Amino acid sequence: MASFLIVEARFYDDLNDQLVAGAKAALEQAGHTFEVLTVPGALEIPGTIALASESGQYDGYVAIGVVIRGETYHFEIVAGESARGIMALTIDGMAIGNGILTVENHDQAEVRANPDKKNKGGEAAEAAIALHDLRQRFIA
């Protein structure tokens, strides 16, 4: 049994609730424990994971958030930099499932967040579990 931290950037409550529900269900089904931590935005997720990793309390992480394209360039910055930060931590050997949705509109996010549809929160948790298992295989 491993311990995971779900780090969510809560902006769209309805969508985040679904993403977190999917992640929790996947972790529970696999027999793992978890905590949920809320941060201000998607850009704060990689830094929070890096800080949490220093505690040694968690074996893996699930990043949850929703970034919907707006009228400005901000979408590209948030989407790209949050993904870059998570990828950098993953390359350094951390088990992170990226469930930050980057979509054009709320309807697209709804389909991806809904556990009964695309269940991207659940997929992110499953990715974190898979990376944790690989890490155990190669490093432990």
Side-chain angles (χ1 to χ4, degrees):
M1 176 173 63
S3 178
F4 288 82
L5 180 64
I6 300 170
V7 181
E8 68 156 339
R10 183 161 285 271
F11 193 80
Y12 302 96
D13 287 338
D14 60 326
L15 299 170
N16 273 67
D17 288 345
Q18 293 180 72
L19 287 166
V20 171
K24 286 179 174 181
L27 292 167
E28 287 171 351
Q29 183 176 359
H32 299 299
T33 62
F34 59 86
E35 290 182 47
V36 179
L37 179 65
T38 302
V39 297
L43 288 173
E44 288 74 39
I45 291 174
T48 300
I49 291 172
L51 288 171
S53 73
E54 293 179 19
S55 74
Q57 294 178 338
Y58 306 103
D59 300 300
Y61 304 86
V62 182
I64 297 290
V66 179
V67 183
I68 298 176
R69 184 180 299 277
E71 296 177 4
T72 68
Y73 184 69
H74 187 66
F75 170 87
E76 282 83 5
I77 292 170
V78 174
E81 291 302 310
S82 61
R84 184 196 60 76
I86 290 168
M87 184 56 67
L89 295 170
T90 303
I91 289 171
D92 284 344
M94 296 179 68
I96 305 171
N98 187 350
I100 300 174
L101 304 181
T102 53
V103 296
E104 298 293 326
N105 55 55
H106 194 278
D107 290 341
Q108 287 179 352
E110 167 64 32
V111 169
R112 287 157 180 77
N114 190 322
D116 296 325
K117 295 183 181 176
K118 293 202 174 186
N119 192 20
K120 294 299 182 180
E123 287 182 11
E126 290 167 357
I129 293 166
L131 287 172
H132 168 265
D133 292 348
L134 283 171
R135 188 172 193 275
Q136 292 297 105
R137 175 181 171 194
F138 292 120
I139 296 175

